[in-house]
Amino acid sequence: MVQLTRRHLLTAFGAAAVTTVAGCGDGEESTEGLDGKRAGAMDGFKAGDQFKATEPITFSIMMLSNQGYPYKADWPFFAELTKRTNVTLESTAVPGSDYNQKRSVMVSAGDAPMIIPKTYHPDEEAFIASGAVIPVSDYIDLMPHYKEKVARWNLQPNLDGFKAQDGKYYLLPGLHENTWQDYSLGVRTDVMEKLGLSQPQTWDDLTTVLREMKKAHPDLYPLSDRWSTPPQPGANNLLNILATSYGTHAGWGYRPAHWDAAAGKFVFSGAMDEYRQILQYLNTLVTEKLIDPESFTQTDDIARQKFANGKSFVISANAQTLVNELRKDIAKIPGAKVSKLILPTGPAGATLPGESRLENGIMISKKALESKNFVAMMQFIDWLWYSDGGLMFSKWGIEGQTYSGKVDDGSFTLDPGVKWGGLNPDAPKDLQVDYGFFNGVFAYGGSTAMLNSQFSEEEKTFQAEMNKREIRPVDPPAPLNDVEREQVTLWASALKDHVNQQTLRFILGQRPLSEWDAYVKELEGKNSTQYMDIQNKAYERYKKEHG
Amino acid sequence: MVRPTRGYRVFQVVNGFVLAGVVVVTLFPFVNIVARSFSGEHEIRSGQVTLWPKGFNLTTYQNVMSDPLFWINYRNTVVYTVVATAISLVLTTCYAYVLSKHRLRGRALLVGVAVFTMFFNGGLIPNYVLVSSLELRNTLWAIVLPNAINVFNLLVMKAFFESLPTELEEAASVDGLGTYGILARIVLPLSKAVLATMLLFYAVQFWNSWFAGFLYMDRQELFPVTVYLRNLIAGATSGTDITASSETALQVAASIQAVTIVLTMLPIMLVYPFIQRYFVSGVMLGAVKG
């Protein structure tokens, strides 16, 4: 009996091993020449051309289904797309809540659709080693619109940051002409007016505003923040925009390595003096009871409740939450008004980081490269995601039907029968739900004029102000190899945990900032120095190998 | 009649209070979500709704119920649950009955096979590849087959069958019943309690499950309603990412979430009262007897 059981175990292990091996993709090399892959492609496809496949073709695509506008196969978007390009999209619908997991399973199982959109750098790195996704940088010659925009908007340095150690990148990101700073703080302007306060220019001005609010309403915390979902330290937007103004990385935008241009090397963000200054700033707000200490732990719902009940006057916001959440929340407080604060400046001056000019993007599965329609597919992607015509189509739909006018001269208007965001709220049809346009899978990036077309007058004013800021240069590429990446990943999570924990303790005053040096020592004890050594070595190596 | 001692009566009172506390704690979320589902969005957002609806309205119900996708997914859940529960019940009963027979040769191996899967499995991707290469994806079978036998349920059932007196089966056998006759005409009628319990366990399990549907279904009209619900709730909170464009950071209205939760949990809650009387005798009772 015992033997039988053992034999059974062996069989089971064997079976499991076979299954696992079958699960790993075959390590075949991709062929370079594109002959035989041009079926349906256009000859001499160039920037400004409308792509139309020479024969009807079908591409498979992974389709994120947004909870706000669930995917529908019969959206006019798809029908019109086929009419214009001769391409039919065959969608694998994936609920947005767990998109990344399904993507990961499908790609790892070698079962992914040809086009895999909605991927945020550096998520694509996980799939490089297996060869499941192709180095798209090898094929950008097939994509005239993409190349033209990269050159015109000077995005090559940003793209360099996406490169793996082989000097290639594996993700086709969305391209923005300008940095789009959407997030800021929403402020009850009626309270400010009543107290005779003017718009704060710097973070120190903001402290003054909060102090005045506190003086007039001593029983409440003027600032009670949201977006504190773990595992980050909490108040992730507030920390992030502060880091933007101080020139480091914190909150949502936390990254271990910060490029110190003056020193010509990477330094550890969490140990920078700028980081300490942020903590100092927030600690002051906590000590003077200007910020609700619960800001760092409470749920969004609670934070919104406080704002809605007039128990706080300042909360993190972006253009959408301002209109769709905050304004609705305070609707029942007589005379209450809220608007987005022009992002206050700090020691980094009137600048913005340049990284956000690249959006989420598209991975191409290896299967696509084997298709005879590969060239046509790249041309199709180029047109739909990167040409002005394609972007206009995926964003606003069909001229004369869902919109009229042009975005470049500002004559653009949405058809009165169609609603989107805050526009035409009483229209019978919804641009996203009923038509399938302005879908996050297709419509992102583009020129500033294109972006402005979606803004209200109020938001345009905000953006005009933001666009005056100078864009800081992006970090130089310093791609790690697999061994290095594994090594730093081990260190990075321990370091991040410690930074997050101590960030919160310093801010809340549980640990005095006089212990900053001890804290930096603790980070060194967790290999922050070795981490940066590896990062800097990778930087030097890449510079030598790829210029 | 024996008079209860003073200590016992104190215990009864304390027990009553403790259990009443447990009932309150258990019921509160249900009552709260039902109250929310009938409330106005603003009232929920400003935290006024606890046990009673504020700003009473039925428009959210109308809105959710007018979404055809919700009903398609709802129907899927019903179909998946019914088929999967039926299959699971048959397979588990057969397997457990076989395992309960001590005279069966290779019984330890068969138990081993089942128990092995409790602790080890191929992992997510191999499972996906397997289901995929059997071409079960986008079919009902991808959901009902891979988890047809729950080993815990199997062992509970096996213990129950073992507790039945063997004399009964011997008598039936003497009277001329074969193996299947004994199972169908003697054992199963005596096992209503455990069958009802298994029915409930499986039905609840399949009703609540979302992962298999999410993983193996590529088209929206094939998803169970739990995936619909999850996208509505989890999708709304995980969208707050700095790189995500702000439209995805928007939360779905709290009232819509509440209505969907209520509609989804209602049918499965209604199953309990019908099966409850079998619970009174208790499934584990069989497990310890004999």
Side-chain angles (χ1 to χ4, degrees):
Chain A
M1 205 55 108
V2 174
Q3 264 187 341
L4 262 177
T5 313
R6 200 175 292 151
R7 196 184 309 155
H8 156 69
L9 280 177
L10 278 174
T11 328
F13 272 122
V18 169
T19 326
T20 318
V21 170
C24 301
D26 38 322
E28 219 178 298
E29 280 293 301
S30 59
T31 44
E32 278 307 315
L34 292 171
D35 302 331
K37 298 185 196 299
R38 295 187 184 275
M42 287 171 70
D43 288 330
F45 180 61
K46 59 180 192 310
D49 286 358
Q50 156 78 46
F51 171 78
K52 181 155 194 173
T54 55
E55 57 186 71
I57 22 186
T58 300
F59 299 128
S60 55
I61 182 171
M62 214 158 163
M63 186 74 205
L64 184 147
S65 177
N66 189 297
Q67 70 274 6
Y69 44 95
Y71 163 77
K72 290 193 197 107
D74 60 357
W75 269 333
F77 167 79
F78 291 111
E80 182 70 18
L81 185 68
T82 309
K83 208 166 95 190
R84 292 193 188 188
T85 62
N86 230 347
V87 168
T88 308
L89 287 178
E90 188 190 273
S91 306
T92 297
V94 183
S97 54
D98 301 271
Y99 184 79
N100 289 0
Q101 179 159 22
K102 179 118 179 192
R103 179 188 65 203
S104 163
V105 171
M106 288 191 94
V107 174
S108 310
D111 226 355
M114 299 159 98
I115 304 172
I116 311 163
K118 219 71 200 148
T119 299
Y120 290 88
H121 179 75
D123 287 357
E124 83 279 11
E125 283 175 0
F127 308 114
I128 295 178
S130 69
V133 296
I134 65 167
V136 281
S137 53
D138 285 357
Y139 304 98
I140 56 169
D141 283 341
L142 303 172
M143 306 181 65
H145 294 101
Y146 175 82
K147 269 175 79 173
E148 189 258 346
K149 282 205 162 51
V150 169
R152 186 148 50 95
W153 294 341
N154 189 27
L155 283 162
Q156 194 55 47
N158 294 60
L159 287 169
D160 286 343
F162 275 29
K163 284 180 175 172
Q165 214 209 344
D166 57 8
K168 300 171 179 183
Y169 56 86
Y170 292 75
L171 183 74
L172 281 171
L175 310 174
H176 284 284
E177 180 179 359
N178 216 324
T179 291
W180 176 21
Q181 181 65 42
D182 186 8
Y183 286 80
S184 179
L185 294 169
V187 180
R188 280 278 296 277
T189 41
D190 58 313
V191 176
M192 281 177 61
E193 276 163 23
K194 211 190 279 174
L195 299 173
L197 300 164
S198 57
Q199 168 92 10
Q201 301 300 314
T202 66
W203 285 100
D204 290 334
D205 292 350
L206 180 70
T207 315
T208 317
V209 167
L210 293 174
R211 277 185 190 134
E212 291 301 320
M213 286 175 166
K214 178 84 188 175
K215 214 182 282 171
H217 304 271
D219 50 332
L220 50 74
Y221 295 107
L223 169 57
S224 185
D225 213 12
R226 65 184 296 187
W227 286 317
S228 295
T229 336
Q232 290 98 345
N236 297 311
N237 174 60
L238 182 61
L239 275 166
N240 184 46
I241 54 180
L242 270 165
T244 301
S245 310
Y246 279 76
T248 178
H249 310 285
W252 269 334
Y254 176 79
R255 291 201 309 244
H258 174 83
W259 174 250
D260 185 342
K265 62 174 189 180
F266 285 94
V267 293
F268 190 76
S269 311
M272 290 168 67
D273 194 56
E274 286 83 355
Y275 199 92
R276 189 191 58 78
Q277 289 169 27
I278 293 177
L279 302 186
Q280 179 77 67
Y281 178 82
L282 287 172
N283 177 250
T284 310
L285 297 191
V286 169
T287 326
E288 296 186 22
K289 297 199 187 318
L290 303 178
I291 184 173
D292 183 358
E294 288 176 11
S295 295
F296 302 91
T297 45
Q298 67 195 353
T299 62
D300 288 5
D301 285 346
I302 303 284
R304 277 177 64 184
Q305 269 177 31
K306 289 178 182 168
F307 193 78
N309 293 333
K311 296 203 173 99
S312 70
F313 302 133
V314 185
I315 187 170
S316 282
N318 62 38
Q320 292 280 329
T321 60
L322 180 74
V323 177
N324 291 311
E325 298 182 354
L326 299 185
R327 290 232 163 104
K328 286 181 185 161
D329 289 350
I330 59 164
K332 294 205 175 157
I333 305 178
K337 282 183 294 181
V338 57
S339 63
K340 227 160 64 165
L341 206 58
I342 301 293
L343 190 65
T345 55
T351 60
L352 288 174
E355 275 82 11
S356 60
R357 290 172 72 209
L358 294 187
E359 259 279 3
N360 74 86
I362 306 161
M363 295 191 292
I364 310 288
S365 82
K366 192 171 144 259
K367 199 162 69 182
L369 186 57
E370 289 152 8
S371 154
K372 66 178 170 45
N373 300 120
F374 177 72
V375 173
M377 190 189 81
M378 296 307 278
Q379 292 177 345
F380 167 74
I381 291 174
D382 183 53
W383 178 78
L384 182 56
W385 271 277
Y386 298 102
S387 76
D388 289 338
L391 283 170
M392 194 63 196
F393 166 67
S394 62
K395 195 163 190 166
W396 294 119
I398 306 155
E399 186 165 9
Q401 197 174 332
T402 55
Y403 76 93
S404 59
K406 293 195 164 38
V407 294
D408 291 320
D409 55 14
S411 64
F412 167 85
T413 40
L414 193 61
D415 186 90
V418 179
K419 67 175 158 204
W420 175 82
L423 299 173
N424 307 338
D426 299 319
K429 287 201 164 186
D430 188 301
L431 187 66
Q432 293 171 307
V433 178
D434 300 311
Y435 286 96
F437 296 112
F438 219 117
N439 189 315
V441 174
F442 304 102
Y444 50 81
S447 64
T448 304
M450 178 80 78
L451 190 62
N452 274 334
S453 67
Q454 76 189 60
F455 292 148
S456 59
E457 285 309 315
E458 173 192 19
E459 181 64 12
K460 273 183 209 160
T461 321
F462 177 86
Q463 290 303 331
E465 210 51 50
M466 287 288 108
N467 287 340
K468 286 181 194 155
R469 309 230 166 139
E470 198 186 319
I471 294 174
R472 300 202 286 264
V474 296
D475 296 357
L480 306 173
N481 63 34
D482 291 343
V483 181
E484 288 166 344
R485 190 175 301 136
E486 208 164 295
Q487 178 65 73
V488 302
T489 310
L490 273 180
W491 294 335
S493 55
L495 280 165
K496 191 178 176 188
D497 285 349
H498 195 68
V499 170
N500 284 346
Q501 273 167 19
Q502 301 307 316
T503 296
L504 204 50
R505 295 189 63 204
F506 280 128
I507 291 174
L508 295 178
Q510 293 163 354
R511 188 175 184 182
L513 273 153
S514 53
E515 286 183 24
W516 175 261
D517 291 339
Y519 156 77
V520 173
K521 280 269 175 323
E522 287 155 24
L523 292 176
E524 282 165 8
K526 294 180 188 298
N527 303 310
S528 66
T529 321
Q530 285 95 318
Y531 187 162
M532 288 306 115
D533 286 348
I534 289 186
Q535 194 75 46
N536 285 314
K537 210 171 73 192
Y539 161 69
E540 295 292 341
R541 181 181 59 217
Y542 189 88
K543 201 165 69 169
K544 213 185 303 167
E545 284 173 10
H546 300 276
Chain B
M1 197 181 126
V2 184
R3 276 175 63 91
T5 62
R6 194 184 161 76
Y8 183 69
R9 262 186 288 169
V10 170
F11 167 75
Q12 273 188 316
V13 171
V14 172
N15 200 19
F17 272 109
V18 170
L19 289 181
V22 172
V23 168
V24 169
V25 170
T26 320
L27 274 184
F28 176 74
F30 286 103
V31 177
N32 178 254
I33 209 80
V34 172
R36 276 166 167 253
S37 72
F38 288 107
S39 299
E41 179 67 11
H42 179 81
E43 282 76 8
I44 302 176
R45 281 298 172 204
S46 51
Q48 299 173 19
V49 181
T50 43
L51 290 176
W52 201 246
K54 294 263 169 65
F56 185 87
N57 72 82
L58 292 169
T59 39
T60 327
Y61 272 94
Q62 283 163 2
N63 286 343
V64 172
M65 290 165 104
S66 65
D67 181 359
L69 186 64
F70 175 74
W71 290 115
I72 292 172
N73 289 349
Y74 210 95
R75 187 201 60 205
N76 290 342
T77 293
V78 173
V79 173
Y80 295 159
T81 305
V82 169
V83 176
T85 309
I87 290 181
S88 296
L89 212 51
V90 171
L91 290 181
T92 311
T93 309
C94 294
Y95 201 173
Y97 184 63
V98 162
L99 293 183
S100 71
K101 294 287 159 271
H102 287 271
R103 64 174 190 277
L104 177 76
R105 278 169 57 190
R107 180 169 168 270
L109 170 71
L110 287 175
V111 173
V113 169
V115 173
F116 182 79
T117 61
M118 265 179 114
F119 301 104
F120 303 97
N121 65 63
L124 185 58
I125 291 166
N127 272 329
Y128 180 84
V129 172
L130 178 68
V131 169
S132 203
S133 38
L134 293 173
E135 297 191 1
L136 297 180
R137 257 170 65 208
N138 296 320
T139 68
L140 164 76
W141 309 114
I143 292 182
V144 306
L145 290 184
N147 294 310
I149 295 180
N150 178 312
V151 180
F152 175 77
N153 291 351
L154 176 77
L155 296 180
V156 170
M157 240 183 154
K158 168 177 160 291
F160 183 90
F161 286 141
E162 279 170 352
S163 73
L164 290 176
T166 45
E167 292 80 4
L168 267 179
E169 295 187 33
E170 279 163 13
S173 168
V174 169
D175 286 345
L177 276 182
T179 312
Y180 296 102
I182 294 174
L183 176 63
R185 295 166 67 174
I186 307 291
V187 177
L188 290 186
L190 288 171
S191 309
K192 278 185 201 135
V194 80
L195 287 176
T197 313
M198 289 302 134
L199 181 79
L200 186 70
F201 280 2
Y202 276 120
V204 172
Q205 178 193 327
F206 286 112
W207 187 276
N208 288 337
S209 100
W210 65 276
F211 193 72
F214 153 76
L215 195 62
Y216 299 127
M217 299 298 172
D218 295 339
R219 291 199 301 275
Q220 213 134 358
E221 61 273 19
L222 295 174
F223 289 150
V225 75
T226 36
V227 173
Y228 179 95
L229 183 63
R230 187 177 159 81
N231 200 24
L232 209 59
I233 295 165
T237 46
S238 65
T240 50
D241 183 306
I242 182 61
T243 40
S245 43
S246 52
E247 42 137 346
T248 54
L250 276 180
Q251 293 181 307
V252 171
S255 52
I256 295 185
Q257 294 184 356
V259 167
T260 317
I261 292 173
V262 169
L263 289 176
T264 308
M265 72 183 179
L266 209 56
I268 202 71
M269 275 177 64
L270 293 181
V271 174
Y272 276 86
F274 293 105
I275 297 188
Q276 201 192 13
R277 62 197 174 105
Y278 295 104
F279 264 110
V280 178
S281 54
V283 59
M284 293 303 179
L285 205 64
V288 287
K289 237 197 293 184

